[in-house]
């Protein structure tokens, strides 16, 4: 009996936590579907008193959201591809300690430090650098900075996943006459794929929501990413466009949701195999 | 382990992209920052570059805001990381104990972490504002409304709360993944031996997920160290500098006031602090390898 | 199965990315980008830009940014050889800093003139040096701070718009004690808000941030008295962020506050009435209506200056300003304020124009944004009770002098 009671209390606490977790999300949706008149009048009630699709329409019909959405997709996917490819490769070499330790160790240490440094310390010099190279009108600076930002994370996350693969596997493959390339592509890579998928999701997410680099490197609205575009709806001097802000947020979260839902299985199993079992 | 002779062409080709990216995008910029920190670089007049020696550093060390921002950042790091880790772990253990059919529950729990930070921060501004929903709910219980973002006693707490809301799901996800790898039969064996749930949590669960625990704590410490968007949108560092953080401070001096030289000196100080704090972790990493 | 769907979604995403036109503007027409400050005037600009687009066969894209973001974007853009923006809006307090750094194009070189229809106080802000030098930007939003009050609450207490700061405090106390609602709201967010909100009080008493030779002038009895009055006002009310402040005064949850006209124009249901900021205190009287115009100019690295100049003349012209005023824009020209049709619609226009004509500009120094930083932090510490008034002002004085030297 006592146990059951406890169980119920736990369930109630979980329910309370869920309400707390989902309340702001409900609020976002509710702001998006209220009419401008209701939003402007203030004193909002928990349940919307009006229902209107004007904000969601406004976000789409003026075409405003499409350009940042495409920019974000471009930036995120391109940087994801480069980050994953170079990250997996570097993690393999470092994880298998294929280098003399005087190279291996500083490299690993450096990877760690870059992950720890606040991005602002790199953002300012990178801005000056990209400016001199005349790259600021393009999306390249944002893509490059996202690669730089996520690469340490990928390497850091994958090294343990590579280290748990027994070294005997490599040995026997070599004895069978496999080349280095074959060994990696047909033995190691398939084994670390779930972990790579898991870290890929986080990389996608970090890049998708990244704001600091994007806001410093992008001046032209034709290259705005979603977070930068969303921030333009917060105009402190005038009344915030709550409806459009919330609608924009909903649109922005959709691709991430799709991605996360599809990959949920990998997420759990990938992390189970990788970083977790160091 | 295997080949400690000269690295093969294969090894080099695998390492090259990463090495190149790091050299171009981290080592060079940090060198550039170091150079700028000894000059009075002002963004709008990049050609009037005078060598000023250590002046920027002395200014930084004399600036009380520098220490204040360090203190605020550390407060934020400690409280948000601790709360996120504990709550995420409790939640993960409980949800894991519910059995197999928890996909939807897990999905709901993770949702807050997916919404773009800029949007969610503004939604919280709406909810926690003086006339916002939170204060109206508080009022129905007979408490007085709190001016969350304008009161120096509550502003930092409000930011920490939002961070906990946003990132506990992340900790939950990592812990949940770790829990799935704990062998079930160990719990059964412990039960037979008469161990209660608390005892098996500390003797079986914790040791198994130790590395995840370390990872969650480290990741959250690192990410909360760079706190910026919440501060920049909600409080601008106020009230009375109660929420100025390192990133916001450097951003304000560098990008807001365009004093690149001064901001660079601050950046170098930050890098040094990170190095000092990071050295134990790095040394540990080295020892493990040997 | 799972793998397949993941691959499909990824492929679809990639296909979308690569099939889309690269930057969304490859249709050959030139695009004129205006980096602007978000607000009702942007709605006005968007409403009128079609005329210009048609006449010149270009596209006009107007960015509506938050104030600090706008400054950051303009400054970062200034470093490029050819910038992204054809025109930029700037807060009038940024003008000395930007002009000092040659960020703007001298408008006289492009043949753009500030005619005498512009209100002089507004036009002066665009000249460098202030009021006497060449013209670098034109005023597009003729904002001047006003005193806002809730008519319902005032009428219920038998109060009228106050003319002195003693009356403001009395009114706030009366409203507070009779209704329990907030009497006076300060906008005390650290940085620009609290400085803009406090300076009119200081000015009305005859104070100023600087002495004639740019030394700090805040560690004195006058400033202490002003800050102490400001805190007394806060004690009869609250310290709110701007959105909430506008809502509270409009909805009758608070008695009064200072504010910019465009906040209240945009909320059409608003029941806030307004008056010039009180100028009297302790028998004396000093101008206290803070001017806070948004200027528009052409960056030195603008891609097509001739065309930008055409747009500048277009958007600041009398006819266009009138149209923008109908969308909630705040004019900077006399002929627009005096337009009978507009006056019929906005009866407060004559009062607003006279407030603008008698307005006070914030100190004209390139270092103002740094000063605002430190002064804002000290004021914030004082109103939140973390520092005593004496301490906060002594620290302000020291910090401002450090910046000015």
């Amino acid at each position: 009996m006592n146990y059951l009671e406890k169980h119920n209390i736990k369930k109630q606490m979980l329910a309370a936590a869920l309400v707390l977790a989902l309340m702001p999300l409900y609020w976002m949706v509710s702001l998006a579907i209220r009419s401008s008149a209701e939003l402007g009048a203030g004193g909002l009630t928990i349940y919307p008193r009006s229902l209107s699709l004007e904000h969601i329409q406004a976000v789409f019909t003026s075409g405003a959201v499409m350009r940042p959405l495409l920019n974000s997709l471009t930036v995120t996917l391109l940087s994801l591809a480069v980050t994953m490819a170079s990250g997996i490769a570097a993690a393999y070499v470092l994880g298998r300690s294929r280098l003399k330790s005087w190279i291996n160790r500083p490299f690993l240490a450096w990877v760690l430090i870059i992950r720890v440094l606040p991005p602002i310390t790199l953002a300012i010099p990178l801005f000056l650098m990209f400016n001199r190279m005349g790259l600021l009108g393009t999306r390249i600076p944002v893509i490059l900075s996202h690669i730089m930002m996520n690469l340490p994370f990928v390497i850091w996350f994958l090294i343990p996943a590579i280290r748990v693969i027994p070294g005997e596997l490599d040995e026997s493959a070599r004895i069978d006459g496999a080349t280095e390339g074959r060994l990696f592509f047909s033995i190691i890579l398939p084994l670390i794929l779930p972990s790579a998928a898991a870290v890929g999701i986080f990389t996608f997410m970090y890049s998708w929501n990244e704001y600091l680099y994007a806001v410093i490197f992008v001046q032209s609205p034709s290259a705005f990413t979603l977070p930068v575009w969303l921030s333009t709806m917060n105009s402190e001097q005038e009344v915030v466009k709550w409806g459009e802000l919330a609608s924009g947020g909903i649109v922005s979260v959709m691709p991430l949701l799709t991605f996360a839902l599809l990959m949920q299985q990998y997420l759990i199993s990938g992390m189970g195999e990788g970083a977790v079992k160091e | 382990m295997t080949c400690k002779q000269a690295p093969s062409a294969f090894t080099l080709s695998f390492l090259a992209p990463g090495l190149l990216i790091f050299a171009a995008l981290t080592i060079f910029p940090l060198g550039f920052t170091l150079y700028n920190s000894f000059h009075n670089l002002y963004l709008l007049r990049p050609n009037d570059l005078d060598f000023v020696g250590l002046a920027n550093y002395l200014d930084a060390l004399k600036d009380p805001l520098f220490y204040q921002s360090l203190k605020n950042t550390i407060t934020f790091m400690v409280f948000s990381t601790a709360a996120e880790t504990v709550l995420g772990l409790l939640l993960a253990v409980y949800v894991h104990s519910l059995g197999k059919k928890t996909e939807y529950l897990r999905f709901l729990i993770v949702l807050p972490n997916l919404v773009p930070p800029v949007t969610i921060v503004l939604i919280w501004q709406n909810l926690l504002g003086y006339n916002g929903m939170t204060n109206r709910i508080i009022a129905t219980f007979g408490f007085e409304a709190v001016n969350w973002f304008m009161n120096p006693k509550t502003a930092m707490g409000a930011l920490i709360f939002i961070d906990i809301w946003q990132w506990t799901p992340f900790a939950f996800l990592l812990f949940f993944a770790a829990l799935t790898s704990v062998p079930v039969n160990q719990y059964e064996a412990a039960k037979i031996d008469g161990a209660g749930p608390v005892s098996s949590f500390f003797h079986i669960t914790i040791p198994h997920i130790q590395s995840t625990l370390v990872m969650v704590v480290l990741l959250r410490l690192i990410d909360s160290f760079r706190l910026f968007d919440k501060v920049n949108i909600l409080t601008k560092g106020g009230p009375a500098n109660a929420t100025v953080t390192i990133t916001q401070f450097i951003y304000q001096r560098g990008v807001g006031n365009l004093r690149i030289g001064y901001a660079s000196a601050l950046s170098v100080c930050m890098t040094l602090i990170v190095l000092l704090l990071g050295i134990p972790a790095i040394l540990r990493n080295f020892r493990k390898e040997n | 199965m799972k793998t397949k769907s993941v691959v499909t979604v990824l492929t679809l995403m990639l296909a979308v990315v690569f099939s889309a036109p690269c930057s969304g503007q490859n249709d050959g027409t030139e695009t004129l980008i205006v980096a602007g400050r978000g607000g009702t005037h942007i709605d006005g600009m968007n409403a009128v830009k079609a005329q210009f687009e048609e006449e010149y066969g270009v596209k006009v894209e107007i960015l509506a940014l938050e104030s600090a973001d706008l400054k950051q974007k303009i400054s970062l853009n200034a470093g490029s050889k050819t910038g992204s923006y054809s025109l930029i809006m700037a807060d009038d307090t940024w003008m000395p800093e930007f002009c000092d750094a040659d960020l703007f194009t001298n408008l006289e070189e492009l043949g753009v003139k500030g005619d005498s229809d512009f209100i002089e106080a507004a036009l002066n802000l665009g000249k460098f040096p202030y009021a006497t030098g060449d013209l670098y930007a034109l005023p597009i939003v003729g904002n001047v701070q006003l005193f806002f009050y809730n008519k319902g609450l005032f009428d219920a207490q038998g109060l009228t718009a106050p003319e002195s700061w003693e009356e403001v405090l009395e009114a706030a106390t009366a409203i507070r004690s009779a209704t329990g609602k907030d009497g006076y709201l300060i906008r005390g967010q650290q940085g620009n808000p609290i400085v803009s909100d406090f300076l009119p009080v200081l000015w009305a008493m005859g104070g100023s941030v600087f002495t004639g030779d740019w030394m700090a002038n805040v560690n004195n009895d006058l400033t202490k008295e002003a800050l102490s009055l400001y805190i007394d006002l806060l004690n009869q009310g609250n310290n709110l962020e701007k959105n909430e402040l506008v809502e509270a005064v409009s909805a009758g949850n608070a008695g009064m506050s200072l504010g910019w006209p465009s906040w209240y124009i945009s909320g059409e249901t608003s029941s806030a009435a307004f008056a010039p900021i009180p100028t009297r205190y302790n028998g004396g009287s000093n101008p206290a209506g803070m001017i806070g115009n948004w200027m528009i100019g052409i960056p030195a690295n603008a891609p097509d200056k001739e065309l930008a100049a055409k747009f500048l003349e277009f958007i600041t012209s009398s006819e266009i300003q009138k149209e923008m005023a109908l969308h909630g824009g705040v004019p900077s020209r006399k002929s627009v304020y005096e337009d009978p049709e507009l006056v019929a619609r906005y009866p407060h226009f004559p009062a607003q124009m006279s407030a603008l004509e008698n307005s006070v500009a914030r100190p004209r120094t390139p270092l103002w944004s740094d000063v605002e930083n430190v002064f804002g932090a000290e004021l914030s510490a004082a109103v939140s009770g973390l520092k005593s008034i004496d301490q906060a002002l002594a620290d302000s004085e020291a910090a401002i002098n450090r910046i000015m030297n």
Side-chain angles (χ1 to χ4, degrees):
Chain A
M1 200 55 215
N2 185 30
Y3 179 71
L4 246 174
E5 263 174 34
K6 258 195 201 158
H7 218 69
N8 264 332
I9 288 168
K10 277 190 198 163
K11 274 205 172 127
Q12 281 165 16
M13 281 171 67
L14 177 72
L18 271 181
V19 169
L20 191 63
L22 299 178
M23 173 65 191
L25 303 177
Y26 161 74
W27 198 244
M28 177 170 79
V29 176
S30 97
L31 287 175
I33 58 171
R34 290 174 207 233
S35 69
S36 296
E38 189 186 347
L39 290 173
L44 295 178
T45 48
I46 290 186
Y47 301 108
R49 278 171 302 191
S50 57
L51 197 68
S52 156
L53 292 178
E54 57 180 303
H55 307 298
I56 295 170
Q57 255 169 0
V59 159
F60 276 104
T61 48
S62 55
V65 75
M66 288 319 285
R67 201 169 55 178
L69 193 65
L70 280 176
N71 283 333
S72 271
L73 273 176
T74 315
V75 166
T76 304
L77 291 179
L78 284 180
S79 69
L80 180 70
V82 178
T83 310
M84 291 310 293
S86 52
I88 292 173
Y92 175 58
V93 171
L94 294 168
R96 277 288 184 252
S97 304
R98 284 167 163 276
L99 295 162
K100 288 188 177 132
S101 57
W102 66 267
I103 307 178
N104 215 23
R105 288 176 188 177
F107 195 96
L108 265 176
W110 190 247
V111 167
L112 209 65
I113 288 163
I114 291 306
R115 173 74 189 142
V116 179
L117 270 186
I120 186 79
T121 52
L122 290 167
I124 294 174
L126 280 175
F127 170 82
L128 297 170
M129 200 174 103
F130 290 134
N131 189 15
R132 278 189 202 178
M133 292 158 76
L135 286 177
L136 285 182
T138 69
R139 277 164 289 191
I140 295 171
V142 186
I143 294 173
L144 286 177
S145 62
H146 285 190
I147 293 170
M148 181 270 287
M149 165 184 84
N150 282 321
L151 194 53
F153 182 61
V154 173
I155 294 177
W156 211 41
F157 197 97
L158 286 182
I159 285 181
I162 283 165
R163 284 197 178 144
V164 292
I165 301 171
E168 296 89 58
L169 226 56
D170 301 26
E171 292 302 325
S172 58
R174 265 198 208 92
I175 292 164
D176 289 348
T179 59
E180 295 257 41
R182 244 194 86 96
L183 165 64
F184 174 75
F185 285 107
S186 50
I187 296 177
I188 307 290
L189 192 58
L191 284 172
I192 60 166
L193 217 47
S195 301
V199 75
I201 296 174
F202 286 115
T203 307
F204 188 103
M205 199 177 93
Y206 277 126
S207 178
W208 189 258
N209 285 338
E210 200 281 327
Y211 175 70
L212 186 70
Y213 287 123
V215 82
I216 292 179
F217 294 159
V218 180
Q219 263 69 54
S220 164
S222 61
F224 275 8
T225 59
L226 275 171
V228 180
W229 174 74
L230 285 170
S231 75
T232 63
M233 298 198 186
N234 167 38
S235 293
E236 162 259 324
Q237 194 181 326
E238 305 290 339
V239 177
V240 177
K241 298 180 190 166
W242 288 111
E244 283 174 40
L245 176 91
S247 307
I250 293 171
V251 174
S252 161
V253 84
M254 285 304 161
L256 255 188
L257 264 185
T258 320
F259 206 70
L261 268 179
L262 283 171
M263 306 282 265
Q264 208 188 17
Q265 222 45 50
Y266 285 110
L267 205 55
I268 302 297
S269 66
M271 284 187 305
E273 280 172 37
V276 173
K277 275 191 211 157
E278 196 177 314
Chain B
M1 278 174 267
T2 34
C3 47
K4 294 277 174 174
Q5 312 88 8
S8 68
F10 173 84
T11 304
L12 279 182
S13 69
F14 258 47
L15 198 61
L19 211 56
L20 210 71
I21 290 165
F22 280 124
L25 297 176
T26 67
I27 297 178
F28 180 75
L30 281 176
F32 198 29
T33 301
L34 194 65
Y35 174 84
N36 288 337
S37 72
F38 295 112
H39 294 79
N40 64 345
L41 180 57
Y42 172 61
L43 184 66
L44 295 181
R45 248 176 279 128
N47 298 327
D48 294 359
L49 199 62
D50 289 326
F51 179 77
V52 292
L54 291 172
N56 287 326
Y57 289 92
L58 293 177
D59 281 353
L61 294 175
K62 271 190 287 186
D63 195 334
L65 209 49
F66 178 63
Y67 302 99
Q68 176 87 36
S69 72
L70 262 179
K71 198 184 124 227
N72 290 344
T73 308
I74 290 169
T75 310
F76 180 86
M77 276 168 76
V78 169
F79 284 100
S80 59
T81 303
E84 283 152 21
T85 310
V86 171
L87 289 175
L89 183 56
L90 288 179
L91 206 57
V93 168
Y94 179 59
V95 172
H96 189 251
S97 77
L98 291 177
K100 293 215 167 197
K101 292 268 172 207
T102 54
E103 281 106 341
Y104 294 106
L105 186 60
R106 281 180 342 227
F107 177 68
L108 287 179
I109 294 174
V110 176
L111 263 182
N113 198 224
L114 299 180
V115 186
V118 177
T119 309
I120 214 58
V121 166
L122 287 165
I123 298 287
W124 274 110
Q125 184 183 48
N126 188 301
L127 280 168
L128 287 176
Y130 189 69
N131 297 315
M133 195 47 73
T134 315
N135 272 343
R136 271 185 273 154
I137 291 171
I138 286 177
T140 59
F141 288 104
F143 292 102
E144 238 183 74
V146 184
N147 205 348
W148 299 102
F149 297 122
M150 292 292 186
N151 184 337
K153 291 195 193 82
T154 56
M156 181 54 94
L159 295 182
I160 292 173
F161 174 78
I162 298 172
D163 197 75
I164 294 172
W165 178 87
Q166 196 183 358
W167 287 99
T168 300
F170 176 81
F172 161 80
L173 193 64
L174 265 71
F175 284 129
F176 188 87
L179 288 174
T180 56
S181 70
V182 181
V184 186
N185 53 14
Q186 292 203 7
Y187 289 111
E188 281 156 6
K191 218 180 213 170
I192 292 164
D193 292 347
V198 177
S199 154
S200 48
F201 174 76
F202 282 107
H203 289 106
I204 304 170
T205 313
I206 292 285
H208 266 99
I209 62 163
Q210 203 179 13
S211 61
T212 304
L213 195 64
V214 173
M215 172 133 161
V216 168
V217 170
L218 271 179
L219 277 175
R220 288 316 304 145
L221 281 178
I222 291 168
D223 281 350
S224 53
F225 186 60
R226 49 181 68 166
L227 170 68
F228 173 69
D229 42 10
K230 295 180 192 74
V231 176
N232 197 43
I233 293 172
L234 294 173
T235 63
K236 304 270 184 220
N241 293 328
T243 59
V244 172
T245 63
I246 290 158
T247 299
Q248 201 258 346
F249 183 47
I250 300 179
Y251 181 88
Q252 189 200 54
R253 292 298 145 99
V255 182
N257 296 353
L258 314 174
R259 316 260 160 230
I260 303 290
Y262 185 61
S264 299
L266 290 173
S267 295
V268 172
C269 292
M270 276 332 300
T271 311
L272 289 177
I273 291 173
V274 166
L275 278 176
L276 279 177
L277 293 177
I279 277 174
I282 292 160
L283 286 179
R284 207 179 60 112
N285 194 341
F286 284 177
R287 251 181 269 127
K288 208 173 353 178
E289 237 185 286
N290 290 344
Chain C
M1 263 319 273
K2 279 266 175 193
T3 322
K4 245 187 188 164
S5 49
V6 170
V7 171
T8 320
V9 168
L10 274 178
T11 326
L12 269 176
M13 282 178 169
L14 275 172
V16 170
V17 167
F18 291 112
S19 62
C22 248
S23 56
Q25 46 166 305
N26 285 355
D27 48 353
T29 39
E30 192 180 345
T31 307
L32 201 79
I33 299 175
V34 183
R37 172 70 175 92
T40 43
H41 50 269
I42 297 285
D43 301 339
M45 285 164 87
N46 276 321
V48 299
K49 72 179 186 189
Q51 297 172 30
F52 185 84
E53 287 177 333
E54 230 165 81
E55 195 178 335
Y56 290 92
V58 292
K59 256 192 82 189
V60 178
E61 178 164 7
I62 301 162
L63 271 177
L65 299 165
E66 188 264 336
S67 167
D69 286 349
L70 174 63
K71 186 176 184 208
Q72 174 240 313
K73 288 251 168 289
I74 297 174
S75 314
L76 295 181
N77 178 59
S80 331
K81 220 176 241 148
T82 307
S84 299
Y85 309 132
S86 298
L87 293 114
I88 50 179
M89 279 174 67
D91 188 338
D92 75 66
T93 56
W94 307 341
M95 292 304 294
E97 184 176 10
F98 284 169
C99 289
D100 197 42
D102 300 322
L103 194 138
F104 281 107
T105 306
N106 188 332
L107 289 181
E108 281 158 38
E109 285 169 13
L110 290 170
V112 180
K113 292 201 177 65
D115 55 80
S116 57
D117 187 35
F118 284 106
I119 288 164
E120 199 188 351
L123 192 63
N124 282 344
L125 301 168
K127 295 179 179 168
F128 182 78
Y130 176 69
T132 56
D134 284 355
L135 188 67
Y136 287 88
L138 288 172
I140 186 163
V141 180
N143 254 345
V144 57
Q145 274 204 82
L146 295 172
F147 178 83
F148 290 88
Y149 60 100
N150 188 280
K151 195 111 180 34
L153 283 175
F154 266 60
D155 289 348
Q157 306 306 317
L159 298 163
T160 52
E163 288 182 358
S164 74
W165 283 95
E166 289 95 336
E167 286 168 38
V168 173
L169 184 56
E170 278 165 28
T173 316
I175 290 171
R176 176 77 156 193
S177 56
T179 64
K181 291 179 174 175
D182 290 330
Y184 186 94
L185 296 179
I186 70 164
R187 185 164 64 107
Q189 200 178 41
Q190 182 169 342
N192 168 291
I194 194 168
V195 176
S196 310
D197 199 53
F198 169 69
L199 279 185
V201 183
L202 180 65
W203 288 346
M205 295 186 177
S208 64
V209 177
F210 293 108
T211 61
D213 50 358
W214 295 109
M215 294 296 286
N217 188 28
V218 294
N219 192 17
N220 48 40
D221 289 344
L222 192 67
T223 316
K224 283 175 196 166
E225 205 178 334
L227 186 51
S228 142
L229 173 69
Y230 190 65
I231 291 170
D232 288 345
L233 287 168
L234 167 65
N235 291 335
Q236 299 304 324
N238 213 330
N239 174 1
L240 293 189
E241 182 267 334
K242 169 247 144 195
N243 285 320
E244 298 196 302
L245 178 143
V246 173
E247 193 193 311
V249 177
S250 303
N253 292 324
M256 54 201 135
S257 78
L258 301 188
W260 301 100
S262 47
W263 296 352
Y264 289 89
I265 290 173
S266 55
E268 282 177 18
T269 50
S270 160
S271 67
F274 43 91
I277 293 180
T279 56
R280 288 198 218 141
Y281 181 76
N282 203 12
S285 171
N286 293 288
M290 176 189 288
I291 194 166
N293 280 11
W294 285 97
M295 314 298 291
I296 186 164
I298 301 168
N301 61 359
D304 186 346
K305 291 190 186 180
E306 305 296 321
L307 188 67
K310 292 270 184 305
F311 186 77
L312 182 61
E313 284 178 327
F314 166 82
I315 203 78
T316 53
S317 68
S318 188
E319 310 87 81
I320 293 300
Q321 277 214 1
K322 190 182 153 188
E323 273 184 60
M324 283 170 61
L326 293 171
H327 288 92
V330 183
S332 57
R333 281 176 175 274
K334 287 178 217 158
S335 58
V336 183
Y337 277 109
E338 286 163 352
D339 183 273
E341 198 189 322
L342 285 177
V343 172
R345 186 169 166 155
Y346 302 119
H348 60 273
F349 260 25
Q352 196 175 323
M353 182 166 98
S354 96
L356 192 55
E357 282 174 326
N358 298 308
S359 61
V360 187
R362 277 162 281 181
R364 302 279 111 188
T365 156
L367 297 167
W368 177 247
S369 66
D370 303 61
V371 172
E372 212 171 51
N373 256 347
V374 296
F375 195 35
E378 296 300 337
L379 288 177
S380 172
V383 299
S384 59
L386 283 190
K387 279 190 185 177
S388 69
I389 292 176
D390 289 4
Q391 186 66 46
L393 290 178
D395 291 352
S396 300
E397 176 114 341
I400 294 172
N401 279 336
R402 254 201 312 277
I403 291 168
M404 299 310 289
N405 289 328

